[in-house]
Amino acid sequence: MSTAHTTTSPPAAPDAAPDRPGDGIPFDRRRLVAVLVVTPLIAALALWAFAWPASRIAPRDLPIGLVAPAGAPIAENLTGGPGEDAFDVQRYDDAAAAKAAIEDREIYGALVASPEGIQLLTASAASPAVAQLLNQAVAAQAPPGAEVTTTDVVALPEDDPRGTGFAAGALPLALAGVAAGAITFVMGLRGTVAAAALTGAAALVGLTAAAIEHSWLGILTGNWWAEAGVLGLTILAVGATVAGAAALLGARGIGLAALLIVLIGNPFSGVTSAPELLPGAAAWTGQLLPPGAGGSLLRSVAFFDGGGAAGPALVLTVWAVLGLTAMMLGGHLKRGRETARTA
């Protein structure tokens, strides 16, 4: 009686295959290529966004006032010739009217020419860079021997005479808003709970920032609660944009929104100079994004008793509402997908 012997062949070693079927390039190699390609692109974008506007600072239709007879030489120099595109000159009947326009943030400064001499009205709180530029322009265009006196109508606070502290606060606020939105999403908060948490966090950041910039550093000198509200609204607009993009697009939405806010919105904000000093579309693009609108609104509230606040306040409100709406919609869509899977 014979005994059948069976042998079991060892399992064949699997062929080396890419991590994802149907693709001839291993997944790890694609990741490597992505890092090598995307990193230089982001670096180039950052360099362009920050260096391009900074290297092209110049007045472009900069609104200024003029109180002078029509035939005054300095009036002709400002309203015509090679610099005609540099200044948007508005005529006023007297120095008081021009001063009121400066305080309402309708113009950055004004030139008052009279037989006694030339008076330059500036507002360093609106932009130290513009105030310096106007001083240089008037000195260069004034008739020989003319006496020029300068009056800073709305000056920066003594604790921040060059405005460097005010300008330095723009990027941290943008980063704080991005962090608030990203943390809200990463912590798994969705829908109404996420919106409430982000709104509360933005309010607390606004109070904290006002305590630091107003009470401690003396950078801001306006109404404390109004400043805290503006700072909180700025954080909410940025954070809701990030969280809303993440709610709709997933984690990639955080990166896209952060690029928009930090690499475009911050350098195009004009906080360190003025929107009218930026080149090309950067002048108006930055004011339509939360960092630029937030910086302009904070200047209005901190130094000009709310003058010129309506436009930037509307921009921030629109971003906040759109972001919160996207967060609510994202939460609703997620609940719908979960219900469909369990059904």
Side-chain angles (χ1 to χ4, degrees):
M1 185 175 181
S2 59
T3 303
H5 296 280
T6 59
T7 59
T8 303
S9 301
D15 295 333
D19 291 348
R20 292 186 179 179
D23 194 338
I25 302 177
F27 188 45
D28 286 344
R29 190 180 303 172
R30 291 209 314 275
R31 285 178 171 176
L32 174 61
V33 172
V35 170
L36 294 177
V37 172
V38 172
T39 302
L41 287 177
I42 294 178
L45 174 62
L47 286 172
W48 166 78
F50 281 86
W52 172 60
S55 64
R56 298 293 186 271
I57 292 294
R60 297 170 175 86
D61 290 325
L62 185 73
I64 62 172
L66 178 63
V67 180
I74 196 164
E76 297 298 327
N77 291 340
L78 284 175
T79 57
E84 59 182 340
D85 294 332
F87 301 108
D88 178 13
V89 180
Q90 308 293 325
R91 288 186 173 272
Y92 295 92
D93 294 333
D94 51 39
K99 180 180 178 181
I102 293 173
E103 294 171 341
D104 291 337
R105 297 205 71 187
E106 297 175 3
I107 55 177
Y108 280 91
L111 188 66
V112 182
S114 66
E116 291 76 21
I118 298 173
Q119 183 184 20
L120 175 62
L121 305 178
T122 63
S124 61
S127 170
V130 170
Q132 182 180 9
L133 182 151
L134 291 178
N135 273 288
Q136 295 172 348
V138 170
Q141 297 177 3
E147 181 181 355
V148 179
T149 59
T150 300
T151 302
D152 197 347
V153 176
V154 185
L156 284 162
E158 294 181 358
D159 290 330
D160 189 26
R162 292 180 294 277
T164 52
F166 183 92
L171 181 57
L173 285 175
L175 294 176
V178 171
I183 291 172
T184 300
F185 178 79
V186 171
M187 295 299 291
L189 302 179
R190 300 292 185 269
T192 305
V193 175
L198 182 59
T199 302
L204 292 175
V205 172
L207 295 172
T208 303
I212 293 173
E213 294 193 331
H214 184 121
S215 303
W216 178 28
L217 300 178
I219 293 172
L220 309 177
T221 57
N223 180 276
W224 195 97
W225 290 104
E227 293 166 352
V230 170
L231 292 164
L233 179 59
T234 302
I235 295 295
L236 180 61
V238 174
T241 300
V242 173
L248 297 178
L249 302 176
R252 69 174 67 89
I254 297 176
L256 293 175
L259 287 176
L260 177 67
I261 297 297
V262 177
L263 292 189
I264 301 298
N266 192 70
F268 287 10
S269 67
V271 172
T272 59
S273 54
E276 292 83 0
L277 299 184
L278 300 179
W284 57 267
T285 302
Q287 296 306 297
L288 294 178
L289 294 174
S296 295
L297 183 57
L298 187 59
R299 280 193 192 278
S300 294
V301 169
F303 307 124
F304 294 88
D305 293 327
L314 176 61
V315 171
L316 288 178
T317 302
V318 168
W319 279 101
V321 170
L322 290 177
L324 292 173
T325 301
M327 293 170 65
M328 301 291 289
L329 178 60
H332 176 74
L333 294 176
K334 182 182 178 183
R335 287 192 299 272
R337 288 193 296 267
E338 292 175 346
T339 302
R341 283 197 300 267
T342 57

